[in-house]
Amino acid sequence: MQRILIVGGVAAGASAATRARRLDEHAEITIFERGGFVSFANCGLPYYIGGIIESRESLLLQTPEKLKRRFNIDVRLRHEVISIDREGKRILVKNLQDEGEGWYKYDRLILAPGAAPIHPTFGGVDSDNVFHLRTIEDSDALRLFLDESRVCRATIVGAGFIGLEAAEMLVHRGISVDVVELTPQVLPPLDPDMAAMVAEHLSEKGVSLHLGQAVENLAARNGRVFSVELPDGRTIKTDVVLLSIGIRPITDLARNAGLAVGPRGGIRVNERLETSDPAILAAGDAVEVIHAVTGQPVLIPLAGPANKHGRIAGAVAATGSGPAYPTVAGTAIIGLFGLSVATCGLSYKAAKAAGIEAESVMVTRRHHAGYYPGGEHMTIKLVYQPGTRRVLGGQIVGGPGVDRRIDVISTVIHFEGTTDDLASLDLAYAPQFGAAKDPAHIAAFVAGNQENGLIRHVRAEEVDQLIRSGYSVVDVRHPDEFFSGAIAGAVNISLEELRAEQHRLSPDRPILLYCEVGQRGYYAARILHGLGRDDVVNLAGGLVAYEIHKRTTAGASPPEHH
Ligand SMILES: Cc1cc2nc3c(=O)[nH]c(=O)nc-3n(C[C@H](O)[C@H](O)[C@H](O)COP(=O)(O)OP(=O)(O)OC[C@H]3O[C@@H](n4cnc5c(N)ncnc54)[C@H](O)[C@@H]3O)c2cc1C
């Protein structure tokens, strides 16, 4: 009978334990969890704060009693593993309730300690009304504070996924929310043009964004923060602060035991999740994974990888073998005030930063056939490698159906597919579900057209420079649309009039075409190309993308109301 000990009992740890049990009925399996809960739903915490998830019990997916009865797994809550003796194959565990310590022997040890929120160093962070959101205990503390104090204004530091989910939930509770973010955009993994759409939506919903701002200090009185100080001298009055500036993998146990740590600071594992000591496995947020596109080690702290890690680590611990853990594309999605925002693979900026040659296209389409009522727009940005056409990444902002398209793009990335593969996928269609040419197909078609030389796109941020360099700007929308707002200096020749009116175009100046979202601009470009013009470009994402770019670069953060 072998002994399997597990450090950490949430996503990766609990999955490992139950998988090990299913594969080995006789093993002695023990989970040590330093917190007060096992196998809880971290991802649900923001919704518990907001009251959408009413019962705290629904967050507790398992209890020690259930794990014992169903799986014969021992769970020791409030037990912290404090060191590993690799020679003796044993761990030292501290019972946090009575401070007693004891050694436990293992045949296989699985480290699943997760990640810890980064606690910044500016003044005031240890005040009574400053919170993190990582554990049930964190959410209990925050919810209690919100329930019992008069909270009118909240400040969230960090506009990542968790910070923004929390922002929505605080607004849902009737609280006025400010979000301060160090980088000039929300959701830093996204490209700025896609993030700008999200920022606009948040502003419309009443969230005050302070982008490109590092909090300098939290001014506190009697142990309570009352104001957040920004470097430009501005202050934000606040009744509560939520810190959400990122996490770091928990590796102290592994480091102290001399296990290898990778270049990103996570525990290094092979594809069977074995550490540099094969008797010790590691899984979840604490480990480095291999990125599906770059092939480089990265930290991708998400629930999907953590759960799948756990399953493999449990199998390897129980049987000595298990499936190889694949690469990770970082596929993620967030819902914000009815808007769905999703990403996978590399953004355009991440590809460039990694030194990978990249191109992108942007398309806006309804999520299902236009003739069927209720279709909502989604904008897809598809990033691919010119030449090989390999799909590198996707980002989508829209309403219903964003989840399905991001998963399709992620699947193509997983199989190292190309834009042609994406274009030819056989996807389900009926009028209320999609389109015979699905939005994901359209993105791939546009990329294919660009690669085949049928069209050349420019990005919104390039427009002003092109105008300065002498391009004629032609708006090919209907005159009604043109008169309700257009790019300064543009002439209006609608798509339908273009053939007849082509004489109005100067033969000496290259042409920048645009429409609302890019589709009619493409048709116009093909007409002009057919008429002999090879100096035509189309604005990707059309006027919508340009206007968002202008608004977000003109006044990085909206005016404050203090
Ligand atoms: C608020 C929030 C929302 C999220 N939303 C999403 C989402 O929508 N989608 C998504 O994909 N991901 C989401 N995540 C991320 C996801 O929850 C994590 O990726 C996942 O929980 C990681 O699992 P893990 O088992 O590696 O670590 P954890 O879940 O952090 O569990 C590790 C456990 O180990 C324990 N531990 C650490 N050290 C020791 C020790 N020495 N001894 C004993 N115990 C120890 C810790 O107390 C902890 O309970 C969210 C996370 C949070 C916090």
Side-chain angles (χ1 to χ4, degrees), residues 475-490:
D475 183 325
V476 298
R477 296 174 303 159
H478 189 272
D480 290 348
E481 295 172 272
F482 179 74
F483 287 116
S484 66
I487 293 179

Side-chain angles (χ1 to χ4, degrees), residues 197-221:
M197 295 182 206
V198 184
E200 290 231 329
H201 184 71
L202 290 167
S203 300
E204 277 165 22
K205 297 295 174 184
V207 176
S208 298
L209 297 174
H210 309 269
L211 303 177
Q213 300 278 342
V215 170
E216 207 157 73
N217 185 46
L218 302 177
R221 195 182 302 122

